[in-house]
Amino acid sequence: MGEKTIVENIQSFGLKKVLNYLDSDPDANIPKILDWVEKFDREGTVKGQLKTFRDVVEDKGGNWYKLIKSLWTDVDDGVRKTLFENFIINATIVGGQRQEKTRKENNCNVPWAILMDPTSACNLHCTGCWAAEYGNRLNMDIDTLDNIIKQGKEMGIYMYIYSGGEPLVRKKDIISLCEKHKDCAFLAFTNGTLIDEDFANEMLRVKNFVPAISVEGFEEETDFRRGEGTYKAVIKAMEILKSKKLPFGISCCYTSKNTETIGSEEYFDDMIEKGAKFAWLFTYMPVGKDAVPELLATPEQREYMYHQVRKFRSTKPLFTMDFWNDGEYVNGCIAGGRNYLHINANGDIEPCAFIHYSDSNIRDKSLLEAFKSPLFMQYRENQPFNNNHLRPCPLLDNPGRLTAMVERSRAKSTDMENPEDVRELSSKCEDAAKNWAPVANKLWNR
């Protein structure tokens, strides 16, 4: 079933023909495209997204429409077409229907995207990064990575995201997988320092790979956590990508040290000017023995980000997601295979990049078996973890919820160097959860 069925191929062919109309006159044809997508979306898989998108395209002077139009002026034609086909048709429409069928048949979560680590190796040593503990000893070989993608496509998963370590340590293998799976969209969380002219040319050739570059603010904030000279290297990478009309975004972790910078209008404007098309925002999580709980954002800082991101969404041409503060838009936690999961460089299948516990390994179980495992079923049975979706996380926002799921499923810590007891991990977040709760409740009730 990894190959598309006859019906899916007909559906894809029709949608691809429709997408081709966009290049002749995007202004006139975007509404027509939405009509066609709605026609093919018989199960209502993207009904909510379509309504939002219609509202956007009707406001021709709005920032969102400006962002959409920039995909024609700022992005290579071939790259744009490939990503549209892989993201909109394969990952969202055709894939979404197949995912839903698999969910119903197996009574388990099936994710929209799989996050996986090709390696634990990294050329930086960032403060508070759990990956640094593993050094360069953990790697998934290319056959294992390839097999994960093949299994995923069987269930309709066409979106794959690399993390690490630094995934671009494995540049050659990443490009090979892009070539082999031309129907998939690939993204990588990368520190950006290994992006050079040669790799950018390879990206331009395969057309289905997009980097999300980690940056902690301006030079002072970025180099504080990532090391001297990192910011300059990141900006150089952005310049290369922009000059070749390659799309990229940024990944920002806001902490007690940099929240006011990350959330500032000056910073957003600067990243847009440098060419970023999207921004993934995360709050710091105190995971691993080298965790620095002092970096946890305060309730005031988290509320600041809540307001800033919502304000900028109506004024800045940048697609932005805050994976904690945007829980209200996705009904809480998206981990545990509900929308995504994480496979580390040792092959352990984890519910989340920040939750290092597992009862399954890709070398011993299929993806579907892992989705049905006790730990993932615990997630399915317990989500959402709070009726207030501004408190979505079972670790950071809801003390005891992660502990109960890990203990009931008998999942084990995947930290090979320093296994972390789930109760000790949870204790590091108790004060943060307690202090955030009244603020989140005020925002939610408002």
Side-chain angles (χ1 to χ4, degrees):
M1 191 179 166
E3 298 299 320
K4 289 190 178 74
T5 64
I6 293 175
V7 172
E8 288 174 338
N9 272 318
I10 292 173
Q11 187 179 30
S12 295
F13 178 76
L15 287 166
K16 286 177 184 177
K17 295 291 285 185
V18 172
L19 283 178
N20 286 337
Y21 296 143
L22 281 172
D23 288 327
S24 60
D25 188 351
D27 282 308
N29 290 323
I30 286 175
K32 296 177 184 177
I33 299 298
L34 296 181
D35 291 339
W36 273 87
V37 171
E38 192 168 45
K39 177 182 176 181
F40 281 108
D41 185 33
R42 296 183 181 90
E43 303 295 321
T45 306
V46 293
K47 183 178 179 180
Q49 294 94 317
L50 276 176
K51 183 185 182 305
T52 301
F53 206 70
R54 282 190 188 281
D55 293 340
V56 167
V57 299
E58 287 174 3
D59 181 12
K60 294 289 197 292
N63 61 301
W64 286 98
Y65 198 79
K66 182 179 178 182
L67 173 61
I68 293 169
K69 286 297 296 292
S70 76
L71 300 180
W72 274 264
T73 57
D74 301 349
V75 177
D76 175 82
D77 288 346
V79 172
R80 183 185 62 254
K81 289 177 182 177
T82 299
L83 289 173
F84 273 18
E85 288 181 7
N86 292 356
F87 184 82
I88 297 173
I89 299 175
N90 297 340
T92 305
I93 299 174
V94 173
Q97 293 169 1
R98 197 186 289 185
Q99 291 161 28
E100 186 58 27
K101 183 174 184 289
T102 308
R103 287 186 197 105
K104 289 178 178 177
E105 289 176 349
N106 294 276
N107 191 34
C108 65
N109 284 339
V110 176
W112 176 75
I114 291 177
L115 176 66
M116 53 189 182
D117 301 348
T119 181
S120 63
C122 186
N123 60 321
L124 300 181
H125 190 100
C126 303
T127 302
C129 176
W130 65 80
E133 298 173 24
Y134 299 111
N136 61 2
R137 287 174 293 169
L138 302 182
N139 293 279
M140 274 198 286
D141 61 76
I142 191 168
D143 290 337
T144 301
L145 295 166
D146 180 46
N147 185 253
I148 290 169
I149 298 168
K150 286 178 179 176
Q151 287 187 56
K153 290 201 291 187
E154 291 277 346
M155 293 177 278
I157 305 166
Y158 288 87
M159 184 73 193
Y160 295 88
I161 306 170
Y162 296 111
S163 58
E166 169 48 52
L168 295 192
V169 169
R170 298 277 298 277
K171 285 181 183 179
K172 183 178 178 181
D173 288 339
I174 282 175
I175 292 296
S176 294
L177 291 168
C178 287
E179 289 178 300
K180 185 167 186 179
H181 298 282
K182 299 179 185 296
D183 52 354
C184 291
F186 294 94
L187 184 143
F189 290 113
T190 170
N191 62 44
T193 61
L194 299 180
I195 294 174
D196 53 19
E197 292 275 348
D198 289 342
F199 184 69
N201 287 334
E202 287 291 86
M203 287 173 57
L204 202 55
R205 181 174 66 83
V206 297
K207 298 178 173 56
N208 57 345
F209 178 83
V210 179
I213 300 174
S214 298
V215 58
E216 307 286 332
F218 295 112
E219 186 167 18
E220 180 182 350
E221 295 85 7
T222 298
D223 288 2
F224 165 78
R225 191 163 175 221
R226 296 181 173 271
E228 187 176 352
T230 302
Y231 182 77
K232 285 186 172 65
V234 164
I235 300 310
K236 177 63 177 175
M238 291 181 179
E239 290 171 354
I240 291 171
L241 295 169
K242 186 177 181 180
S243 71
K244 294 183 183 293
K245 304 187 82 171
L246 286 162
F248 69 90
I250 56 173
S251 170
C252 306
C253 177
Y254 58 91
T255 73
S256 61
K257 301 291 186 183
N258 70 348
T259 296
E260 289 72 20
T261 299
I262 293 278
S264 69
E265 185 163 19
E266 180 187 10
Y267 180 67
F268 267 65
D269 287 344
D270 186 63
M271 289 295 104
I272 292 167
E273 191 276 328
K274 286 182 168 56
K277 297 301 179 190
F278 62 89
W280 301 150
L281 301 173
F282 304 86
T283 191
Y284 177 73
M285 296 286 280
V287 178
K289 78 174 181 65
D290 289 335
V292 185
E294 293 76 22
L295 287 177
L296 279 164
T298 66
E300 294 78 15
Q301 289 173 319
R302 192 163 163 182
E303 181 180 13
Y304 168 78
M305 290 300 296
Y306 172 93
H307 292 300
Q308 291 296 94
V309 168
R310 280 158 180 75
K311 179 175 71 174
F312 293 151
R313 281 196 184 122
S314 64
T315 58
K316 309 292 183 186
L318 186 73
F319 181 79
T320 311
M321 278 288 293
D322 182 329
F323 285 88
W324 269 259
N325 284 344
D326 283 338
E328 64 180 295
Y329 303 118
V330 290
N331 297 319
C333 172
I334 64 171
R338 183 168 165 257
N339 290 102
Y340 100 107
L341 58 85
H342 178 238
I343 306 176
N344 70 17
N346 193 48
D348 300 308
I349 304 170
E350 303 169 337
C352 175
F354 301 99
I355 305 298
H356 297 175
Y357 299 91
S358 177
D359 57 4
S360 306
N361 189 287
I362 196 62
R363 297 182 177 93
D364 306 319
K365 290 184 181 180
S366 68
L367 283 176
L368 187 57
E369 287 172 332
F371 299 163
K372 296 179 178 181
S373 73
L375 180 58
F376 277 71
M377 291 306 292
Q378 279 290 310
Y379 264 77
R380 180 175 173 83
E381 292 164 13
N382 283 279
Q383 288 166 321
F385 299 107
N386 199 304
N387 290 327
N388 179 342
H389 295 323
L390 297 179
R391 298 169 60 192
C393 183
L395 173 59
L396 184 62
D397 301 322
N398 297 280
R401 298 305 296 272
L402 178 66
T403 300
M405 292 192 296
V406 168
E407 292 182 347
R408 283 183 198 136
S409 64
R410 298 186 178 181
K412 305 296 183 186
S413 171
T414 56
D415 188 326
M416 296 176 64
E417 294 291 306
N418 297 278
E420 190 164 24
D421 181 89
V422 68
R423 290 178 178 262
E424 292 180 11
L425 171 63
S426 296
S427 69
K428 289 189 269 185
C429 299
E430 285 179 0
D431 286 344
K434 179 182 177 182
N435 295 334
W436 172 244
V439 180
N441 290 340
K442 176 192 69 175
L443 293 170
W444 185 252
N445 292 328
R446 183 183 300 170

